[in-house]
Amino acid sequence: YTISAEPLYVKDPHNVEKWPIWPPRPLLKALYAYADMTDPLLLARPAWYKSFMCLEVGFFGPFYALATYAILKKKDWIRIPCIVYSCVMLTKMWALLAEELFGVTKSPMP
């Protein structure tokens, strides 16, 4: 979850002017090294990708906490929100997979 917020406040991973407090710098450097080798989409950061990350941080993060509580307490009302969450995630994954496999920033090692 914390890695999802990183594209929202680090504009250019190749030229970081001010490193964020969280995630720690070594973790981000490892993430950028991984992205250089295998996942250029992580470094390209098109607008649609950033919008997905806004959705992740603004909606899914709080939902994870709520869903964890509801599932642990065996609350039935969480079922429909979990189905909606699953549908949104599946839709989002199709866009990400299409970009990774066939897009401008496709992965060199799919």
Side-chain angles (χ1 to χ4, degrees):
Y1 176 72
T2 58
I3 295 296
S4 299
E6 180 271 335
L8 302 177
Y9 48 80
V10 175
K11 294 185 193 273
D12 181 9
H14 293 295
N15 186 22
V16 180
E17 293 176 13
K18 183 179 176 191
W19 290 92
I21 295 171
W22 187 261
R25 182 187 269 188
L27 181 63
L28 287 180
K29 284 188 172 191
L31 176 69
Y32 298 156
Y34 163 79
D36 271 335
M37 293 183 296
T38 62
D39 195 0
L41 179 59
L42 241 88
L43 300 177
R45 299 162 194 243
W48 66 267
Y49 181 78
K50 285 185 181 180
S51 72
F52 280 7
M53 294 305 106
C54 285
L55 183 66
E56 185 80 29
V57 171
F59 176 71
F60 293 145
F63 178 76
Y64 297 149
L66 180 69
T68 301
Y69 163 79
I71 290 168
L72 289 175
K73 297 292 184 177
K74 298 184 183 345
K75 304 290 184 183
D76 286 339
W77 54 263
I78 197 64
R79 291 178 182 180
I80 299 298
C82 282
I83 291 169
V84 171
Y85 163 79
S86 299
C87 292
V88 171
M89 286 303 288
L90 284 171
T91 303
K92 187 174 133 176
M93 285 310 303
W94 278 111
L96 288 168
L97 283 173
E99 180 65 35
E100 291 283 351
L101 295 174
F102 311 112
V104 175
T105 57
K106 66 182 180 181
S107 176
M109 300 189 308

